[in-house]
């Protein structure tokens, strides 16, 4: 398995630790997809992708349908995607992905956590050199799939030639240029793959692992505090996952 997959696998429980908060965050993603392309998943690729992710996270069908219905309401807020970045304690780089209808509130919440842990909130793009921004797609692996042939075809739509297979889940995960999200999704759908869930992510390109147990605990606590805010979608760090 590749570096990106190992990192995402190791940090998954931290990013999506609480079911109720997971559903709240996915509900916001549904709202954005519906407002951008309508409530019909058959004609809205972005919504199809979010719904597939919801299913993988075991979000009940009723919750998904309610989120779609709420997104069509006249009084629903318009969410913006805003990323905050900076350094936490012990020189650990931290990216905070948010979906917010009030940037003043969100930046205040994020800054308060950075200040509490003696961190420094930087300007947008200041830490981009430490992370690779990617789009990620996960889909069920069909029987007798020729991955070598698929990889060659994926390169034509700006997907990477490396992929990860989760034998336990029976899925394949591929990575690509974020600007090619729509093209990669269309390619996978045209090929007939099922339950194609897509997202954007940040993968650290230089993991920092020289922290002791107490220092790691401090970083974990800071991440948890950030994830307590409903506006926060994901928190990424360049801290090397602890070995089990």
């Amino acid at each position: 398995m590749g570096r990106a997959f190992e990192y995402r696998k190791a940090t998954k429980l931290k990013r999506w630790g609480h079911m109720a908060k997971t559903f709240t965050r996915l509900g916001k993603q549904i709202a954005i997809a519906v407002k951008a392309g309508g409530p019909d998943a058959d004609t809205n690729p972005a919504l199809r992708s979010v719904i597939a992710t919801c299913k993988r996270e075991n979000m009940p069908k009723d919750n998904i349908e309610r989120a779609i219905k709420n997104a069509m309401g006249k009084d629903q807020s318009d969410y913006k995607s805003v990323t905050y970045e900076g350094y936490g304690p012990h020189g650990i780089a931290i990216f905070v992905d948010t979906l917010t209808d009030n940037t003043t509130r969100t930046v205040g919440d994020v800054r308060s956590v950075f200040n509490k842990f003696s961190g420094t909130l930087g300007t947008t793009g200041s830490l981009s050199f430490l992370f690779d921004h990617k789009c990620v797609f996960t889909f069920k692996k069909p029987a007798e799939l020729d991955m070598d042939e698929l990889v060659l075809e994926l390169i034509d739509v700006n997907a990477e030639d490396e992929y990860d297979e989760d034998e336990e889940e029976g899925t394949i995960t591929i990575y690509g240029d974020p600007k090619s999200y729509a093209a990669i999704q269309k390619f996978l759908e045209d090929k007939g793959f099922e339950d194609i869930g897509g997202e954007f992510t940040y993968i650290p390109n230089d993991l920092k692992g020289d922290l002791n147990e107490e220092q790691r605990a401090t970083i974990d606590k800071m991440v948890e505090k950030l994830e307590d805010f409903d506006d926060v979608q994901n928190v990424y760090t360049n801290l090397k996952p602890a070995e089990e």
Side-chain angles (χ1 to χ4, degrees):
M1 292 184 290
R3 169 178 62 87
F5 185 78
E6 290 284 8
Y7 174 79
R8 294 177 71 244
K9 191 80 170 179
T11 57
K12 181 179 176 63
L13 291 178
K14 292 181 181 178
R15 295 202 319 269
W16 298 102
H18 304 288
M19 196 64 69
K21 292 177 182 176
T22 297
F23 296 165
T24 297
R25 293 163 183 169
L26 289 172
K28 288 186 177 182
Q29 293 178 27
I30 288 175
I32 288 179
V34 169
K35 286 185 174 295
D40 187 352
D42 290 336
T43 58
N44 186 340
L47 181 58
R48 284 199 300 274
S49 180
V50 176
I51 290 175
T53 300
C54 290
K55 290 179 178 178
R56 284 207 312 278
E57 297 295 338
N58 298 315
M59 185 173 182
K61 182 179 179 181
D62 289 346
N63 291 47
I64 297 174
E65 293 177 346
R66 184 162 54 250
I68 293 174
K69 183 177 180 180
N70 289 342
M72 298 168 60
K74 294 181 180 179
D75 297 329
Q76 287 300 301
S77 301
D78 288 322
Y79 294 108
K80 295 180 180 180
S81 177
V82 183
T83 300
Y84 301 96
E85 52 200 274
Y87 284 100
H90 315 300
I92 298 300
I94 298 176
F95 258 67
V96 186
D97 256 353
T98 71
L99 285 177
T100 177
D101 58 351
N102 186 327
T103 55
T104 300
R105 176 192 65 224
T106 305
V107 70
D109 289 341
V110 172
R111 181 177 286 114
S112 70
V113 175
F114 272 82
N115 289 341
K116 181 177 181 179
F117 287 85
S118 300
T120 304
L121 192 60
T123 57
T124 300
S126 60
L127 299 184
S128 59
F129 68 98
L130 290 174
F131 292 81
D132 295 325
H133 191 201
K134 300 176 183 288
C135 64
V136 184
F137 289 93
T138 300
F139 54 90
K140 286 187 177 181
K141 180 184 179 182
E144 302 180 358
L145 174 65
D146 187 336
M147 282 305 301
D148 290 335
E149 180 179 341
L150 179 64
V151 166
L152 290 176
E153 294 179 288
L154 282 168
I155 292 175
D156 292 335
V157 288
N158 290 325
E160 297 178 359
D161 58 2
E162 294 186 359
Y163 65 91
D164 294 301
E165 180 175 355
D166 190 326
E167 295 183 358
E168 182 179 343
E169 297 290 336
T171 59
I172 297 292
T173 298
I174 64 171
Y175 306 86
D177 185 335
K179 296 179 181 179
S180 298
Y181 182 99
I184 296 173
Q185 182 184 22
K186 183 178 186 304
F187 169 83
L188 294 173
E189 291 184 341
D190 289 347
K191 296 289 286 188
F193 294 120
E194 298 179 2
D195 295 336
I196 304 168
E199 61 180 327
F200 296 95
T201 190
Y202 289 91
I203 305 295
N205 55 48
D206 184 20
L207 292 172
K208 186 172 182 178
D210 56 342
L211 270 64
N212 60 40
E213 187 174 340
E214 183 179 352
Q215 291 170 330
R216 284 181 172 274
T218 300
I219 298 298
D220 288 343
K221 184 176 292 187
M222 180 178 181
V223 170
E224 289 173 2
K225 289 293 184 181
L226 288 167
E227 290 179 335
D228 279 343
F229 298 121
D230 287 341
D231 292 339
V232 174
Q233 290 286 298
N234 284 307
V235 179
Y236 308 96
T237 79
N238 68 338
L239 176 63
K240 183 178 181 180
E243 296 182 2
E244 298 183 358

